[in-house]
Amino acid sequence: MIVRHQTSESATEGHPDKVCDQVSDAILDVCLAEDPHARVAVETLACGNDLTIAGEVTTTAALDAEGVARDVMRRIGYVYPALGFNAATCSVRQLIHAQSPDIAQGVERGCELGAGDQGIMYGYACDETPTLMPASVALAHALARRLADARHRHELEWLRPDGKTQVTFGFDEDGRPAALESVLVSAQHDDDVSQREVVEGVLERVVLPVVGRLLTTETRVLVNPTGRFVLGGPAGDTGLTGRKIIVDTYGGVAHHGGGAFSGKDPTKVDRTGAYMARKIAKDIVAAQLATRCEVSVAYAIGQIEPAMVNVETFGTGRVEARELERAVRAAYPLTVSGMIAELDLTRPQFLKTAAYGHFGREGEGFAWEERDPGRIRSVLRRAW
């Protein structure tokens, strides 16, 4: 019996907001490659055939922001004039200045870094999928990746960069995903391809390879439900860094503190705190101490230690929440400097995170996705 429903979405790398996230994170990576202590907070705006890069950068690295942006556009596939947004002809405007000295004095605290801003960050894990991510968002990302792969591999020659996916699951009384209720794929395409070709191609090359085993006669599958998706990307819709924060995290299943990730160096706890909270939540679920776990942390600007650490297991925990919170504080470094060192966040790696989610990416070199369930178990054993 289905008692509740859960819907999550994803977007391809060619979606206008994701283009902007990737440009911002590519700039961050270039800075970190030469200067691990770079201070970066960059936003990107894409509209029509224009791109604006704005923000604060303090670094010793040689930064060619325009060149970086054009490389990102080319890699995504914005190389055709007909798309209206083109890596070669796009106008790129830069509004970049140094980090505010008022912020800098709060961050640079001698041997320990202070938080680059205030905020609340959340990390989440559950046992619905092998990567300990919610099933709906994991499947939405898988569909978006497959849509992009079909384009890059020329399996569907008429595909263009923009695209979105959405998945709805029905959950049973035990809180388990029990039925795939709907699948939506919106795929940008050439003007001269028919809706029937688009539907048949996307079903064969995208939907069936990813969710075929989950489809039932009750599953509703929609492909380009308006019947046409030719005008897309920044030519059809303005893009902005940080506008896909739910896509970037847990698909609406868990809380979100509101701070975006892309374009921010690791002193910005919006990013680092959220990555650390995911690491902790994942370890708790991997240790079978809960089947669902949400970890929240809060920081004040300029402060070294968190103002709050909270663990919620939604009634699935084998250990009391207060005990888990004490164990988390003992097992994991939660200072800004400690989190950066623990998660190896001063090396360039962030462009990869800017599309298809920051979490659930096992095997891609992200320390916050590596499992260490014995770590929190050992602290709890000592406490017992």
Side-chain angles (χ1 to χ4, degrees), residues 13-338:
E13 65 210 42
H15 184 281
D17 293 330
K18 290 283 101 190
V19 170
C20 294
D21 285 343
Q22 288 167 93
V23 170
S24 294
D25 268 339
I27 289 171
L28 172 61
D29 276 356
V30 165
C31 292
L32 292 177
E34 293 185 31
D35 177 12
H37 305 294
R39 300 290 176 255
V40 180
V42 169
E43 315 290 338
T44 305
L45 169 72
C47 183
N49 200 28
D50 294 280
L51 194 81
T52 299
I53 303 167
E56 301 81 50
V57 177
T58 301
T59 183
T60 59
L63 174 62
D64 174 12
E66 178 177 341
V68 171
R70 294 193 191 279
D71 284 345
V72 168
M73 289 181 254
R74 276 191 292 269
R75 180 186 55 79
I76 291 170
Y78 281 107
V79 294
Y80 305 104
L83 294 174
F85 180 71
N86 185 283
T89 63
C90 179
S91 170
V92 179
R93 183 185 187 203
Q94 298 183 54
L95 301 171
I96 296 175
H97 56 86
Q99 183 184 61
S100 160
D102 295 343
I103 295 174
Q105 73 176 5
V107 173
E108 307 296 342
R109 301 291 297 271
C111 60
E112 285 280 354
L113 293 170
D117 203 351
Q118 69 177 47
I120 308 161
M121 301 89 215
Y122 294 88
Y124 180 82
C126 62
D127 66 354
E128 293 174 14
T129 63
T131 59
L132 305 186
M133 286 289 285
S136 54
V137 73
L139 207 57
H141 286 322
L143 285 164
R145 274 184 178 268
R146 180 67 197 122
L147 182 61
D149 286 346
R151 175 174 60 87
H152 285 299
R153 295 172 184 172
H154 305 287
E155 296 173 24
L156 299 171
E157 292 286 356
W158 38 261
L159 278 177
R160 291 299 172 250
D162 200 355
K164 294 180 75 173
T165 63
Q166 185 169 286
V167 170
T168 299
F169 269 103
F171 283 69
D172 62 22
E173 294 170 324
D174 295 324
R176 310 300 300 175
L180 179 59
E181 297 190 337
S182 70
V183 175
L184 167 62
V185 178
S186 294
Q188 186 186 12
H189 57 83
D190 279 347
D191 194 14
D192 59 357
V193 65
S194 70
Q195 171 71 351
R196 179 175 178 177
E197 287 178 274
V198 172
V199 171
E200 290 178 351
V202 169
L203 284 175
E204 179 185 353
R205 295 289 184 171
V206 179
V207 175
L208 290 176
V210 176
V211 301
R213 62 185 177 81
L214 299 174
L215 295 176
T216 71
T217 55
E218 302 298 316
T219 306
R220 189 180 186 203
V221 179
L222 298 171
V223 177
N224 286 13
T226 68
R228 179 179 169 87
F229 186 6
V230 173
L231 182 61
D237 187 15
T238 299
L240 187 65
T241 299
R243 248 191 344 200
K244 287 290 176 285
I245 58 176
I246 300 302
V247 169
D248 287 341
T249 52
Y250 307 101
V253 175
H255 288 95
H256 196 297
F261 302 155
S262 290
K264 295 179 180 177
D265 74 72
T267 66
K268 278 68 174 176
V269 284
D270 280 339
R271 179 169 226 156
T272 299
Y275 286 3
M276 194 70 202
R278 161 65 176 173
K279 163 69 174 169
I280 296 167
K282 189 171 185 178
D283 280 356
I284 289 171
V285 174
Q288 298 183 335
L289 297 170
T291 60
R292 293 174 61 206
C293 181
E294 184 179 79
V295 174
S296 54
V297 292
Y299 291 84
I301 189 167
Q303 299 303 297
I304 294 168
E305 298 277 355
M308 177 200 74
V309 179
N310 188 64
V311 179
E312 172 61 68
T313 58
F314 309 96
T316 72
R318 296 174 58 191
V319 179
E320 286 188 11
R322 187 170 295 180
E323 238 182 298
L324 277 176
E325 288 163 18
R326 284 197 292 265
V328 164
R329 285 184 178 271
Y332 298 93
L334 296 174
T335 64
V336 178
S337 295

Side-chain angles (χ1 to χ4, degrees), residues 329-370:
R329 285 184 178 271
Y332 298 93
L334 296 174
T335 64
V336 178
S337 295
M339 293 188 297
I340 291 172
E342 170 79 13
L343 301 178
D344 192 19
L345 297 182
T346 58
R347 65 179 177 86
Q349 59 188 302
F350 299 107
L351 174 56
K352 288 194 298 182
T353 69
Y356 313 115
H358 292 244
F359 308 121
R361 308 276 292 273
E362 294 185 343
E364 296 191 46
F366 302 134
W368 57 92
E369 288 299 319
E370 295 175 3

